[in-house]
């Protein structure tokens, strides 16, 4: 059953963190949307070696870029899915990928920044160590493969039960190409989950908001990715409000675009 709502008509899911992407936002959470993080969370994707250097420097500038919590829309939409193989595009410091692995998914997590991936791997090792303390048979094996890649060129070479892209917004890389790659990587019977910032509900601070081409609506996603065709069933197509905090402690309410679709068997 599909969910359709006008922006702001769906209440924010509790436990919002920020991505997004963690992974990411416009600035990647990567990944993501936490109440304890500034807007700028969901985007860890740019094009080429320069983009990698830009994001490596940005991650080096802070000991932690994102909140370390999974994106709330990911938790809400993927929490009830049967675990299988997942792809996390723009994984940032890894909170989404780690959460998926903890739910039983085998995850391929991709980001442009080697610094972010090193940090993500460290966070995963810490999580595994905590879990191993309570495991009857000792050490728990990793379920995550971390990959550094330029998403303007990268192709997964596999198909997945879940492909998630959280706040994939960039001034250097158009979202259309990577999200077409994401949709193509969903296996039959699998799920595509795309979450981003609604272009009409951005925070009042930040110069990046002049770049409206970085953002998308659900209708634009559906059209660009061909999700209105017979191969797909739209499950969720909505926007959801959530509170955010600005770099100087400002408070605002923005909206996340949330699209979940199933590739039909």
């Amino acid at each position: 059953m599909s969910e359709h709502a006008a922006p702001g008509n769906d209440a924010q899911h509790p436990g919002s963190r920020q991505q997004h992407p963690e992974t990411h936002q416009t600035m990647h959470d990567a990944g993501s949307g936490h109440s304890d993080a500034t807007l700028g969370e969901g985007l860890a994707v740019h094009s080429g070696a320069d983009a990698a250097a830009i994001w490596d420097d940005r991650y080096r500038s802070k000991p932690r870029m994102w909140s370390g919590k999974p994106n709330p829309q990911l938790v809400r939409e993927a929490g009830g899915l049967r675990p299988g193989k997942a792809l996390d595009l723009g994984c940032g410091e890894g909170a989404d990928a780690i959460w998926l692995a903890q739910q039983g998914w085998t995850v391929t997590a991709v980001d442009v920044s080697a610094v972010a991936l090193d940090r993500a791997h460290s966070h995963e090792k810490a999580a595994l160590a905590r879990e191993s303390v309570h495991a009857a048979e000792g050490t728990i094996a990793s379920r995550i493969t971390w990959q550094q890649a330029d998403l303007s060129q990268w192709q997964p070479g596999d198909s997945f039960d879940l492909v998630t892209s959280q706040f994939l917004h960039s001034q250097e890389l158009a979202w259309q190409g990577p999200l077409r790659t994401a949709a193509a990587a969903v296996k039959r019977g699998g799920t595509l989950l795309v979450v981003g910032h609604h272009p009409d509900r951005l925070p009042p601070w930040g110069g990046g908001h002049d770049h409206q081409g970085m953002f998308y609506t659900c209708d634009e996603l559906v059209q660009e990715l061909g999700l209105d065709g017979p191969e797909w069933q739209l499950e969720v197509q909505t926007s959801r409000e959530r509170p955010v905090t600005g770099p100087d402690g400002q408070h605002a309410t923005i909206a996340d675009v949330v699209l979940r679709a199933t590739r039909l068997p």
Side-chain angles (χ1 to χ4, degrees):
M1 179 176 181
S2 298
E3 174 185 354
H4 299 272
N9 286 357
D10 196 349
Q12 169 65 17
H13 181 58
S16 115
R17 79 187 212 244
Q18 231 125 311
Q19 135 189 351
H20 351 283
E22 182 55 45
T23 156
H24 334 143
Q25 169 184 331
T26 70
M27 322 214 324
H28 141 21
D29 157 68
S32 332
H34 317 152
S35 57
D36 61 342
T38 59
L39 187 67
E41 346 152 330
L43 164 187
V45 178
H46 291 271
S47 177
D50 288 346
I54 289 169
W55 279 99
D56 283 348
D57 288 345
R58 180 153 187 256
Y59 276 103
R60 288 190 190 103
S61 71
K62 296 181 180 181
R64 187 183 75 174
M65 189 69 69
W66 315 123
S67 71
K69 303 174 185 178
N71 279 300
Q73 310 300 352
L74 172 69
V75 173
R76 176 168 180 167
E77 298 300 335
L81 298 178
R82 181 178 180 179
K85 291 168 54 180
L87 172 63
D88 180 9
L89 287 180
C91 64
E93 293 170 323
D96 284 353
I98 292 168
W99 179 84
L100 285 167
Q102 290 171 335
Q103 311 311 305
W105 294 87
T106 299
V107 185
T108 298
V110 186
D111 200 275
V112 71
S113 171
V115 174
L117 290 169
D118 286 345
R119 197 172 291 178
H121 192 200
S122 295
H123 293 165
E124 182 203 14
K125 288 192 291 185
L128 290 173
R130 290 191 296 269
E131 293 173 18
S132 295
V133 170
H134 305 288
E137 299 180 2
T139 303
I140 299 175
S142 171
R143 290 179 175 270
I144 306 174
T145 299
W146 306 100
Q147 293 188 17
Q148 192 275 337
D150 167 14
L151 290 193
S152 68
Q153 304 294 329
W154 181 80
Q155 295 292 325
D158 201 353
S159 58
F160 299 85
D161 302 289
L162 170 66
V163 177
T164 173
S165 173
Q166 304 279 314
F167 301 97
L168 189 62
H169 305 300
S170 171
Q171 297 179 22
E172 288 74 19
L173 178 63
W175 56 267
Q176 289 87 345
L179 293 187
R180 284 195 297 265
T181 298
V186 179
K187 65 170 54 175
R188 293 194 177 278
T191 297
L192 174 68
L193 175 62
V194 179
V195 179
H197 298 299
H198 196 289
D200 297 331
R201 297 295 304 278
L202 298 170
W205 57 81
H209 304 153
D210 295 334
H211 303 275
Q212 290 296 311
M214 294 166 55
F215 307 101
Y216 42 74
T217 65
C218 278
D219 288 345
E220 289 169 335
L221 285 173
V222 169
Q223 180 176 5
E224 179 65 33
L225 305 183
L227 302 179
D228 52 354
E231 191 176 2
W232 292 92
Q233 177 173 307
L234 292 170
E235 310 287 355
V236 176
Q237 186 180 354
T238 191
S239 64
R240 295 178 181 143
E241 290 187 341
R242 65 179 170 91
V244 293
T245 302
D248 298 316
Q250 315 97 306
H251 297 284
T253 298
I254 65 170
D256 292 337
V257 168
V258 182
L259 186 143
R260 178 165 61 88
T262 300
R263 184 188 290 277
L264 296 176

